[in-house]
Amino acid sequence: MEQLIKSIGQEVRAFAITSKESLENFRLKFISKKGLIPSLFEELKGALPEEKKKLGKELNELKQLAEGKYRSAQEETENTTDKPHEGIDLSLPVIPNKLGNQHPLSLTRYRIIEIFERLGFNLADGPEIEDDWHNFTALNFPPNHPAREMQDTFFIEKNPDVLLRTHTSNVQVRLMKKQSPPIRSIMPGRVFRNEAISARAHCFFHQVEGLYIDKNVGFADLKQTLYSFAQEMYGKDIKIRYRPSFFPFTEPSAEIDISCLICKGKGCNLCKHSGWVEIAGSGMVHPNVLRHGNIDPEEYTGFAFGMGIERVTQLLFRVNDLRLYSENDIRFLRQFRPVLS
Ligand code: PHE
């Protein structure tokens, strides 16, 4: 019997009580009237008188061990439940999880990419830290052009010049060198200019460059491509106009304006009371630029444009101050959701 008391003692210690159910099983097995410990007490009655005292003592210790374990486990399991949903009201509204949302400039960039992808353009990329050749010289900028001045461009090193690109046009010649025509790509990215910050200007902003080079590409292709883009972006009623302009790397060149959606043409701060907002510079790629990209201008022609993402966004979401985009004011940033076309 002594052996039996010992082995039941081991069983009591090893028994894992993890739930109300196992607690009850423990009670039934060891403590309840028909359990192992009371049955040992029954057996004790028939034990030899000289052994009774010793065995009785051991049995009482076993009983205390089992009851002690039962009580402490009972306290522990009191607050837990075998059914995880018990006590939870599943009809209560969820605690709101604050999701971030995309920056308005990202939303616009994705839309611009999506529209041009549908028009057959693919996506290309170029560096923000650029050499003089790709940002200026290859694009036909004369040596004394004002953009090469320290007060207009952020130079990182001089002689040889390393700078922060002033436009996404730096990718044009890189792309021409990598790929022979047809080229039909857009290149979104950040650009930098040494300008005083105001509602209309910033020292960095974003552009999307477009480049289309193939046989027989003409100015009509440029006009229709950007008109289709404007209609997709702003709706069929949007008005667009081309103003003759000058860029060293395009000939002829034109600025592209669209009707001001903030004041609907009445005149406001953004459109400088003209009713029109400039969204891009554009033109036919200059033959010298094609030559710098190892493309024969007798065989191929192309158009290029550089569109300001901030401007496109301002008209899309009616934002009238450029500084809001980079101030990280959560009250501003929370207001934007994708605009579905
Ligand atoms: N790079 C010019 C700018 O930043 C825009 C442009 C791009 C003009 C391509 C013509 C062709 O103002």
Side-chain angles (χ1 to χ4, degrees):
M1 186 168 171
E2 196 175 352
Q3 207 46 48
L4 204 56
I5 293 172
K6 261 196 194 138
S7 75
I8 292 175
Q10 275 165 6
E11 262 190 77
V12 166
R13 282 190 199 91
F15 198 104
I17 304 176
T18 53
S19 60
K20 282 193 173 160
E21 201 184 328
S22 52
L23 179 72
E24 178 61 4
N25 288 340
F26 179 87
R27 191 187 68 80
L28 289 172
K29 182 166 181 185
F30 299 108
I31 313 172
S32 67
K33 268 192 191 142
K34 288 181 183 159
L36 288 169
I37 295 169
S39 72
L40 283 176
F41 275 104
E42 277 304 307
E43 248 179 76
L44 187 65
K45 287 179 190 161
L48 297 169
E50 58 268 36
E51 284 188 343
K52 242 185 196 168
K53 202 176 165 202
K54 189 171 170 259
L55 287 174
K57 194 176 165 246
E58 283 171 11
L59 201 49
N60 267 322
E61 279 168 10
L62 175 64
K63 192 181 168 205
Q64 275 164 18
L65 175 76
E67 283 177 354
K69 179 163 175 155
Y70 179 76
R71 269 195 307 275
S72 61
Q74 196 176 27
E75 273 169 31
E76 263 175 47
T77 52
E78 202 118 273
N79 297 324
T80 66
T81 161
D82 290 347
K83 293 177 190 146
H85 297 316
E86 217 168 72
I88 298 173
D89 184 352
L90 294 173
S91 67
L92 283 175
V94 291
I95 298 162
N97 189 0
K98 275 190 197 138
L99 284 180
N101 54 284
Q102 281 168 330
H103 193 280
L105 294 177
S106 299
L107 290 171
T108 309
R109 189 177 75 244
Y110 294 141
R111 267 198 95 190
I112 294 174
I113 292 170
E114 191 235 327
I115 292 170
F116 278 105
E117 276 181 345
R118 266 190 277 143
L119 291 172
F121 286 74
N122 64 13
L123 207 56
D125 203 4
E128 289 178 359
I129 297 174
E130 188 55 288
D131 52 33
D132 169 277
W133 170 258
H134 291 98
N135 197 78
F136 294 131
T137 306
L139 296 174
N140 225 17
F141 278 77
N144 56 351
H145 192 281
R148 292 173 179 260
E149 300 283 325
M150 296 294 274
Q151 58 268 28
D152 284 327
T153 297
F154 293 112
F155 287 91
I156 293 173
E157 277 167 31
K158 287 295 259 175
N159 291 325
D161 290 353
V162 179
L163 47 99
L164 298 181
R165 67 173 172 189
T166 58
H167 51 183
T168 44
S169 303
N170 70 321
V171 197
Q172 284 191 21
V173 170
R174 289 182 176 276
L175 204 59
M176 293 179 204
K177 286 230 165 134
K178 254 203 312 215
Q179 191 190 328
S180 45
I183 295 172
R184 208 191 290 171
S185 300
I186 52 165
M187 305 139 234
R190 189 159 39 174
V191 303
F192 307 83
R193 291 184 194 173
N194 193 357
E195 284 189 44
I197 299 168
S198 72
R200 294 178 47 90
H202 213 302
C203 58
F204 67 85
F205 56 99
H206 300 79
Q207 289 187 329
V208 177
E209 192 80 4
L211 184 66
Y212 180 19
I213 299 173
D214 203 352
K215 289 181 175 152
N216 301 318
V217 177
F219 202 83
D221 297 304
L222 166 64
K223 280 183 77 175
Q224 187 54 45
T225 302
L226 284 155
Y227 185 43
S228 302
F229 163 79
Q231 285 192 322
E232 285 287 321
M233 190 57 118
Y234 298 112
K236 296 279 173 236
D237 296 333
I238 193 73
K239 286 204 218 77
I240 185 165
R241 74 175 185 186
Y242 293 79
R243 261 182 307 117
S245 184
F246 173 79
F247 298 100
F249 41 97
T250 46
E251 182 60 38
S253 306
E255 310 266 12
I256 301 165
D257 296 345
I258 65 167
S259 42
C260 182
L261 294 165
I262 292 195
C263 63
K264 302 244 156 48
K266 279 195 216 99
C268 69
N269 215 11
L270 183 72
C271 66
K272 289 194 202 147
H273 302 278
S274 70
W276 294 92
V277 181
E278 183 196 319
I279 59 158
S282 68
M284 301 306 294
V285 180
H286 196 289
N288 286 349
V289 178
L290 291 172
R291 274 186 212 107
H292 289 142
N294 296 335
I295 292 173
D296 181 2
E298 299 298 327
E299 198 181 350
Y300 292 104
T301 49
F303 70 71
F305 61 84
M307 193 181 292
I309 300 184
E310 275 79 354
R311 282 294 169 77
V312 176
T313 310
Q314 269 166 305
L315 295 174
L316 195 63
F317 294 117
R318 318 257 199 276
V319 176
N320 62 7
D321 192 325
L322 200 62
R323 289 167 293 197
L324 290 165
Y325 295 127
S326 50
E327 279 172 351
N328 279 342
D329 187 333
I330 201 88
R331 292 166 302 179
F332 171 73
L333 296 171
R334 273 214 196 110
Q335 297 175 39
F336 300 93
R337 293 281 176 276
V339 181
L340 302 171
S341 46

